[in-house]
Amino acid sequence: MATQDTTDRQTLDALLAGRRVMAWGLLWAAALLVLLAFWLGARELEPGLLFCGLVFLLGVAAFAGFLWQIWPPLPDAAAVRKQRRQLALGLFAAAGLLLLLAVLVALQLGLSGFGEVSSMVVMALIGAGAGVNQFMTSGSRWDAEQVLGRVLGNVLLGIVPVGAALGWFAFRSIRRGQISVQPEIIALLLFGLICLVVTLLPRADAAGKSPEQGRRYLILSVGGSFGLLVALFTAYRVWLSWGEIFPPNVPMAQSEGIWRLWLCLYVELFGLALLFGSLTLASPEVRRSATVRRVLYGYNAVMTGFLLLVILVVVNIVFYVAYPLSLTWSQEGGLRGLSTSTTNLLQSLKEPVHVYVLMSPAGRTYLELHDLLENGESYTRQLQVEYVSPDRQAGRYRTLAEKFPVILREERMLGGDEDEIGRGVLLVYGPESAKTPPHAFIPVRDLIESKPPDPHNPRKRTYVFKGEDVILTQLRILVEQQTKPMVYFTQGHGELDMTDALDPRFIADDPRGGSGKLMERLKKDNYEVKGLVWHEAPPQPKGARGPDLMVYSKKSAKEPHEVPADAKVVIVAGPYKPFSKEVADALDRFMKRPGDKAGKLIVLSNYVIGPGAPLADLGQLADVLRQYNVQVDKDFLLRVPDDQRTETPYEVIAQPPPNIRNKVAANFLGKRFPVGGSLSLARRGGIGLARSVKPVASPGTFQVDTLLQVGPMNGTYWAETDVNVLRGVLQYLANLEDTGRLDSKKSKEPIPVVVAVSDRDGKPRMVVFGDARFASNRFVNTTAPYYDFLTSSIEWLAERPGNIGIRPRESTSFALQPENVNKARLLWLPLALILLAIVGMGLGVWVVRRR
């Protein structure tokens, strides 16, 4: 009985040990599947979310299996065997799903998807093998090690003569010049030589060894040598094919030969696995042979280091493809990559864009440009970058200068004395086979700006890199083929002054600030911008030229107001005087133009106390907005501040609603926009109070989407309609709280403050803001991207989706002063630390072995 109990306990211990091994294997599989899911998410698959989601769910299932294997503890061997059978079925199902996904990916990507397909196939085979292993038990006739040893030994016994014959055939073919010497041929020759030596050796029984020992030595000599040759010469093949795997000036994610790397990687792992398996199956000879012992222990050390290296390389490759941004440290914005407007424009490219960086690698802006363009290449295959050094590649540089004379235009104008003349970035849009494709040259001086960081020390300077913004602007102009949509700012109803481009800190006559900065930005973004004044043009002296900036809505006093025929978008920014019926009718006719000439309107309206009017009122313009299912209520937003000494009850936080489909709001998810402000316009930079802008709940031909809303993060908030509370708002809030009416005031739903209108065909028509600060000069340099949101709304109305998103920011780079750098320390300190670490690890191993 005691013997039976001991046997049962040993069986249970063996099963529990296998259970722990399987648990760690499932954890490893979960990590690999999650990485594979991120990888698939970066590839162009349809539907990409399905592939990525299924593989990610398999990773989650593998992690759940890991938890299932380590907890709870199982009482007896029968329970463990039952769990092994259930796990085997799950592994078979996962393997089948991976094989199915591999087939679907192969059908879509073809040879370019070799890496993904092979990864899923290998993982499926491993999963199926692990499932088979779960049906085996140690010590039975299904013992995996015994079966594998017998099968592998018999297979290798048959391969020995075949390998010798193939080696002899390769030798004869090389001598006759029938085949060229390649790594695979050399490996075949060496393997044939090994097989020949094994064939000539005496049999195991003749050498005094048992058949089992003979089989182990056969596995060790033939299987181990074959695996070693495969691993070594596969690495050699990668070295020879490096130029095909990573072509020059082509990012890794776009290389057409990347499948070679994956193929060689799996062949390499196969060779290492065969070598590892051969050594493992020969491990019983460790106690009998010191040579086998040294080989096995040495291989384990080398293999562990190599696998760690492979893991690090694969993880880096996955994140390089899934998250292809090199983050840049900037003093203004911390760690950041490409802006969303840049990525949107790159992903919308329909024609190839060739970018030629014509400067020396030692140039001041070369590294920043390299990071910027490398990031851009990861988002689209349409962007093709070539780096041409005018000094080292003079022939290529002259060829480009002859085809695109704009490169040397400055040299002809200035005489060629400047070192940076002819250096910069050349953009060519469309196929270069065209005689004169659209192109633009950006001189290097436009990419950087030198600024003194300290006014008291003007000699010390920092360099601001403006490359992303400058290149993005030029690329946008090329893509749009020089077409410039016309934008009009209405003037005459108390709107923000579009001619006021003063410093936003300057208190102008209108304490709200002007909108001149917005006008300048739109011009930079390839728009034509003018003002629209709602009265007849004043008489001009004969022969005098009228102002270019302003356009008048009437030619004479008897004619009706009309929006100019070339208007694409009309912006009404912060009016406080009501619109008359005649002006509102002109805007209504503008909006109802037929077909592609239909007007687009942006209205930014505060609930503001303005000069000459007690309260801002849109007048008849509100009726026009209601025709498009938009209601601008006569209310203002209030909240109960947490600290009344430092916070104002008029300012609330607006954010895009979750799961928004509109592309404008979707590009600003997570951003916070303070709206409202101070009742006193000159205090705290306020320009008035935010008001609600609500969709009208009535059927119609227009769809209204909320772009920004004031939500629960503001605590207690609501839309107030009683203007009398402005006389003492803090007292009003205190009375609400004392009388218990605060809960009834609190809004139960988010309050929209910015909405977008589109027609039944999805065409954009209108954007209405409940706060005019988005257009004010005062808010150019704030942390919230007001201008980016407003300009993205204009781009949406102008149907230029590639330009939507947060715009590029300037980044400041600091040059390391060579005279202050200890070069010897940079060289010898890391080397000394590496040697110290190696010696320390060796001493630690020696001490452990001595014990």
Side-chain angles (χ1 to χ4, degrees):
M1 186 68 180
T3 303
Q4 182 64 36
D5 291 342
T6 303
T7 303
D8 292 343
R9 184 61 192 175
Q10 291 176 348
T11 302
L12 179 60
D13 290 343
L15 290 173
L16 291 177
R19 185 172 182 242
R20 288 191 293 271
V21 172
M22 181 56 65
W24 291 112
L26 288 171
L27 181 61
W28 178 244
L32 291 180
L33 287 168
V34 170
L35 287 175
L36 180 61
F38 279 107
W39 182 284
L40 292 175
R43 296 304 302 267
E44 298 175 357
L45 293 171
E46 291 294 339
L49 184 60
L50 176 63
F51 287 96
C52 180
L54 287 176
V55 175
F56 184 80
L57 289 178
L58 284 177
V60 173
F63 183 75
F66 160 73
L67 298 177
W68 186 40
Q69 290 293 297
I70 63 174
W71 188 86
L74 298 179
D76 51 36
V80 178
R81 290 191 180 96
K82 180 180 179 181
Q83 188 186 69
R84 287 169 65 97
R85 289 191 293 270
Q86 294 172 347
L87 180 60
L89 295 176
L91 290 172
F92 291 147
L97 180 58
L98 276 175
L99 287 175
L100 177 61
L101 291 175
V103 172
L104 296 176
V105 172
L107 292 177
Q108 282 198 41
L109 299 181
L111 193 59
S112 64
F114 180 86
E116 294 82 356
V117 173
S118 58
S119 298
M120 287 188 281
V121 170
V122 170
M123 295 183 70
L125 293 177
I126 294 175
V132 172
N133 177 263
Q134 291 300 290
F135 283 113
M136 298 181 179
T137 57
S138 178
S140 69
R141 63 189 183 94
W142 291 105
D143 186 278
E145 186 173 335
Q146 295 180 9
V147 171
L148 186 59
R150 293 176 184 272
V151 172
L152 185 59
N154 293 330
V155 169
L156 293 176
L157 190 61
I159 285 179
V160 167
V162 176
L166 289 175
W168 175 249
F169 174 77
F171 177 72
R172 290 188 59 189
S173 300
I174 292 175
R175 288 193 61 185
R176 296 177 179 179
Q178 296 175 347
I179 58 177
S180 60
V181 179
Q182 297 290 333
E184 297 80 7
I185 301 301
I186 300 176
L188 186 59
L189 279 173
L190 294 176
F191 182 66
L193 180 61
I194 294 172
C195 290
L196 182 62
V197 173
V198 171
T199 304
L200 297 177
L201 289 177
R203 294 173 54 84
D205 50 3
K209 299 176 182 178
S210 66
E212 189 69 25
Q213 285 180 300
R215 186 182 302 111
R216 290 170 186 162
Y217 277 101
L218 178 66
I219 292 173
L220 182 60
S221 58
V222 179
S225 61
F226 182 66
L228 180 62
L229 289 173
V230 168
L232 291 177
F233 284 93
T234 301
Y236 183 45
R237 167 54 66 186
V238 171
W239 184 73
L240 291 178
S241 304
W242 192 260
E244 299 177 3
I245 298 174
F246 302 106
N249 300 321
V250 176
M252 184 184 66
Q254 300 177 18
S255 172
E256 296 182 356
I258 194 67
W259 65 271
R260 299 174 185 270
L261 177 63
W262 289 108
L263 177 59
C264 291
L265 177 62
Y266 282 109
V267 174
E268 180 81 12
L269 291 177
F270 166 75
L272 293 173
L274 181 58
L275 178 56
F276 176 74
S278 301
L279 292 173
T280 302
L281 294 175
S283 59
E285 299 299 318
V286 168
R287 296 184 179 277
R288 301 188 183 95
S289 173
T291 302
V292 175
R293 183 165 58 251
R294 293 190 186 99
V295 171
L296 183 59
Y297 289 160
Y299 174 80
N300 285 339
V302 174
M303 184 65 175
T304 302
F306 179 79
L307 288 179
L308 177 61
L309 178 63
V310 170
I311 292 168
L312 293 175
V313 170
V314 170
V315 169
N316 275 279
I317 291 175
V318 168
F319 280 95
Y320 176 84
V321 174
Y323 294 97
L325 284 182
S326 298
L327 295 178
T328 303
W329 175 263
S330 65
Q331 188 180 25
E332 295 81 6
L335 284 173
R336 63 175 182 83
L338 293 184
S339 64
T340 55
S341 63
T342 301
T343 59
N344 288 334
L345 178 59
L346 292 175
Q347 292 171 345
S348 67
L349 291 175
K350 304 301 182 184
E351 297 286 342
V353 176
H354 300 267
V355 182
Y356 298 96
V357 180
L358 308 177
M359 61 180 63
S360 169
R364 181 179 295 129
T365 61
Y366 184 87
L367 292 179
E368 287 87 349
L369 272 175
H370 189 279
D371 289 341
L372 172 66
L373 297 174
E374 187 180 50
N375 288 341
E377 287 177 303
S378 301
Y379 279 99
T380 176
R381 297 189 178 186
Q382 299 287 13
L383 192 66
Q384 303 169 15
V385 183
E386 181 178 347
Y387 299 87
V388 179
S389 174
D391 302 320
R392 299 178 182 177
Q393 300 168 277
R396 178 61 173 156
Y397 180 77
R398 282 196 302 269
T399 301
L400 291 172
E402 291 173 0
K403 186 173 182 179
F404 304 102
V406 66
I407 297 174
L408 299 179
R409 180 177 299 169
E410 289 182 316
E411 183 175 2
R412 290 189 296 269
M413 295 173 60
L414 302 177
D417 294 330
E418 297 290 336
D419 293 336
E420 294 184 345
I421 288 179
R423 272 59 170 169
V425 177
L426 174 66
L427 301 176
V428 181
Y429 181 68
E432 288 196 64
S433 57
K435 185 176 181 180
T436 55
H439 61 277
F441 180 70
I442 305 172
V444 68
R445 67 170 182 276
D446 292 344
L447 300 174
I448 59 173
E449 181 180 354
S450 176
K451 293 182 178 180
D454 184 2
H456 303 289
N457 187 10
R459 293 184 178 182
K460 183 181 179 181
R461 306 186 71 82
T462 59
Y463 293 92
V464 178
F465 179 68
K466 304 188 297 182
E468 183 178 355
D469 191 18
V470 174
I471 294 176
L472 176 67
T473 300
Q474 288 294 335
L475 181 57
R476 182 184 299 119
I477 293 173
L478 293 176
V479 170
E480 292 160 4
Q481 299 295 318
Q482 304 295 333
T483 58
K484 294 186 177 183
M486 180 63 72
V487 175
Y488 283 93
F489 284 76
T490 63
Q491 302 284 275
H493 291 81
E495 295 95 334
L496 302 179
D497 186 0
M498 63 177 293
T499 63
D500 180 12
L502 299 175
D503 189 310
R505 294 171 296 180
F506 182 77
I507 303 300
D509 293 337
D510 186 351
R512 301 174 301 164
S515 59
K517 294 287 187 182
L518 174 61
M519 181 189 70
E520 290 180 351
R521 181 163 183 169
L522 291 176
K523 288 183 176 180
K524 184 178 179 181
D525 289 343
N526 203 32
Y527 284 94
E528 287 285 349
V529 184
K530 292 185 178 181
L532 178 59
V533 183
W534 296 106
H535 56 73
E536 66 274 10
Q540 296 288 333
K542 187 176 182 180
R545 183 181 177 184
D548 294 330
L549 187 60
M550 294 295 173
V551 174
Y552 296 90
S553 61
K554 300 174 67 174
K555 294 181 180 180
S556 65
K558 297 181 179 180
E559 296 184 6
H561 294 285
E562 291 293 344
V563 177
D566 60 351
K568 182 71 174 180
V569 179
V570 172
I571 299 177
V572 182
Y576 57 78
K577 295 179 181 178
F579 281 71
S580 65
K581 187 176 186 308
E582 293 77 9
V583 173
D585 287 344
L587 289 171
D588 186 35
R589 291 191 296 271
F590 165 69
M591 293 293 293
K592 292 179 179 177
R593 289 176 180 175
D596 295 336
K597 296 183 179 181
K600 313 293 180 68
L601 182 64
I602 290 183
V603 178
L604 301 99
S605 175
N606 285 91
Y607 195 81
V608 59
I609 297 179
L615 294 173
D617 187 0
L618 293 179
Q620 298 297 317
L621 181 58
D623 296 333
V624 176
L625 300 183
R626 275 192 289 270
Q627 297 181 34
Y628 295 86
N629 297 343
V630 177
Q631 175 71 42
V632 180
D633 290 331
K634 294 184 178 180
D635 56 25
F636 51 91
L637 303 186
L638 284 180
R639 73 180 182 97
V640 179
D642 297 329
D643 187 349
Q644 296 182 359
R645 294 174 300 176
T646 59
E647 299 179 9
T648 172
Y650 304 117
E651 186 174 84
V652 291
I653 304 298
Q655 287 184 299
N659 303 320
I660 183 67
R661 293 184 179 182
N662 184 279
K663 192 171 183 178
V664 175
N667 276 273
F668 292 86
L669 287 174
K671 299 297 182 181
R672 302 172 62 177
F673 295 86
V675 295
S678 174
L679 180 61
S680 175
L681 300 181
R683 292 180 56 203
R684 301 185 185 179
I687 66 169
L689 310 180
R691 65 196 308 175
S692 65
V693 182
K694 299 177 181 178
V696 177
S698 61
T701 59
F702 300 101
Q703 172 68 35
V704 183
D705 296 315
T706 299
L707 302 187
L708 292 179
Q709 63 185 17
V710 175
M713 71 173 302
N714 293 276
T716 301
Y717 63 95
W718 67 94
E720 180 61 61
T721 57
D722 186 3
V723 69
N724 294 317
V725 306
L726 297 175
R727 299 175 181 175
V729 65
L730 295 180
Q731 182 63 39
Y732 173 66
L733 296 178
N735 290 337
L736 288 178
E737 188 172 0
D738 293 340
T739 57
R741 293 180 294 153
L742 197 58
D743 288 340
S744 62
K745 278 282 187 182
K746 180 179 179 180
S747 176
K748 305 301 187 294
E749 299 291 337
I751 301 176
V753 291
V754 181
V755 299
V757 181
S758 53
D759 60 20
R760 66 175 65 187
D761 298 324
K763 293 284 187 179
R765 300 301 310 279
M766 181 186 298
V767 181
V768 182
F769 291 74
D771 192 339
R773 70 168 56 192
F774 289 81
S776 172
N777 291 340
R778 288 183 172 275
F779 297 91
V780 176
N781 297 321
T782 55
T783 56
Y786 296 106
Y787 265 31
D788 293 334
F789 194 92
L790 178 55
T791 54
S792 294
S793 302
I794 298 172
E795 302 283 10
W796 178 71
L797 289 174
E799 300 182 58
R800 304 199 305 184
N803 303 336
I804 293 175
I806 296 178
R807 299 305 170 93
R809 296 290 187 261
E810 297 178 348
S811 60
T812 304
S813 59
F814 300 90
L816 191 64
Q817 301 298 326
E819 61 273 11
N820 298 328
V821 176
N822 191 328
K823 298 181 180 179
R825 182 179 297 177
L826 288 177
L827 174 63
W828 295 110
L829 181 60
L831 181 60
L833 292 176
I834 292 173
L835 292 176
L836 183 62
I838 294 174
V839 173
M841 292 174 63
L843 288 175
V845 172
W846 181 76
V847 170
V848 172
R849 290 291 187 181
R850 291 279 293 177
R851 294 180 179 177

